Amino acid sequence: MGALQLHVFYLILLPTIASQVISKQGEWKSATATYTKQADASIITEGACGYGDLHKASYGKYSAGLSTMLFNKGSTCGACFEVRCVDHILWCLQGSPSVILTATDFCPPNYGLSSDYGGWCNFPKEHFEMSEAAFVEIAEKKADIVPVQYKRVKCERRGGMRFSMSGSAHFFQVLITNVGLDGEVVGVKVKGSKTGWMPMARNWGQNWHSNINLVGQPLSFEVTASTGRTVASYSVAPANWQFGQTFEGKQFK
């Protein structure tokens, strides 16, 4: 089987396998971790989840890019992971302290390199490309790559979910951030004053879109997390909302 065929085969299997990998909270699993260097030791670039400035989204210092297996085509964006360095006496900090990370980006595979040497994010590896600030809380900065354990945990957020409007009259898009509970949004509906509840489609990351013209209508949003719980924020955006604005709604509790 050629490399391209193998990659396509992996993508077909991905949703089923990934859901099995990251579905259970509280269960430690094995992975690896490296870090990416930014000017202030945190990740500030937009990333594949669409969050824009990660400091404004409150994810900057404690954030990570995920390998294909964990990223799950963007569904895992916003999810929270507790990560600790294990089984390396030279690189792991004493006592194996842990850090809580938010998934904000995708770590792409590099099939030109071995998964054991440079191709850390090749399928089916489970890998975290952490911010430097978060990495040094669990391991020595001079470490190249470290073995870690991770588990899904509840996301502790301040305030309500945030809805950022973009697009145009015929392509309405909303970016959803600051999501509590498991942090992973799997379904969104929107309702205007002239419409019923309409399902939105995932565009990329946590950007959701609709082709219905909703300009001039107060908007409500219904957000469903991967746990199956749903929260509705009624009239979160007034009738005179504008593209580029962000509004705060309710939060999972």
Side-chain angles (χ1 to χ4, degrees):
M1 185 179 292
L4 179 58
Q5 291 175 308
L6 187 61
H7 186 56
V8 171
F9 176 69
Y10 283 153
L11 290 178
I12 293 172
L13 288 180
L14 178 59
T16 300
I17 298 175
S19 63
Q20 295 172 352
V21 169
I22 63 177
S23 61
K24 294 182 179 180
Q25 292 191 17
E27 180 181 338
W28 289 104
K29 294 181 176 293
S30 298
T32 53
T34 51
Y35 69 89
T36 181
K37 296 180 180 179
Q38 295 286 350
D40 62 352
S42 64
I43 299 175
I44 58 175
T45 53
E46 182 169 318
C49 290
Y51 291 134
D53 186 327
L54 296 180
H55 289 300
K56 291 182 179 179
S58 73
Y59 302 150
K61 184 177 180 181
Y62 297 101
S63 53
L66 307 184
S67 61
T68 302
M69 175 66 86
L70 296 173
F71 190 68
N72 199 17
K73 298 183 178 179
S75 175
T76 315
C77 288
C80 295
F81 296 84
E82 183 175 2
V83 178
R84 64 187 184 188
C85 183
V86 295
D87 302 329
H88 204 301
I89 193 171
L90 290 179
W91 303 139
C92 296
L93 297 187
Q94 187 174 3
S96 292
S98 64
V99 66
I100 306 297
L101 304 172
T102 298
T104 60
D105 201 359
F106 174 55
C107 181
N110 183 349
Y111 293 115
L113 297 175
S114 166
S115 60
D116 295 324
Y117 189 80
W120 318 126
C121 293
N122 292 352
F123 191 91
K125 298 282 286 187
E126 295 167 45
H127 184 82
F128 294 84
E129 187 176 56
M130 301 169 59
S131 63
E132 181 182 330
F135 185 86
V136 296
E137 291 193 14
I138 66 169
E140 297 290 344
K141 181 178 178 180
K142 59 185 177 181
D144 187 20
I145 182 172
V146 295
V148 299
Q149 289 180 333
Y150 74 92
K151 62 180 177 180
R152 285 285 294 273
V153 294
K154 181 180 179 180
C155 297
E156 300 292 341
R157 306 296 188 206
R158 293 184 179 180
M161 286 182 280
R162 297 168 191 161
F163 302 89
S164 301
M165 317 299 195
S166 64
S168 65
H170 300 290
F171 186 83
F172 172 76
Q173 182 167 268
V174 61
L175 170 65
I176 303 175
T177 59
N178 204 48
V179 181
L181 196 61
D182 63 350
E184 183 177 350
V185 177
V186 297
V188 179
K189 292 182 180 179
V190 62
K191 181 182 182 300
S193 57
K194 301 176 183 178
T195 73
W197 285 106
M198 302 179 296
M200 303 186 75
R202 187 192 301 275
N203 189 8
W204 58 286
Q206 287 300 352
N207 282 286
W208 298 76
H209 76 272
S210 171
N211 294 324
I212 304 299
N213 188 350
L214 297 169
V215 173
Q217 302 179 54
L219 301 181
S220 303
F221 294 96
E222 182 183 273
V223 177
T224 301
S226 62
T227 58
R229 291 183 58 186
T230 296
V231 169
S233 298
Y234 292 96
S235 300
V236 65
N240 62 346
W241 62 266
Q242 301 290 320
F243 293 112
Q245 290 183 312
T246 297
F247 301 93
E248 186 171 319
K250 292 185 177 180
Q251 183 61 273
F252 289 103
K253 295 182 179 179

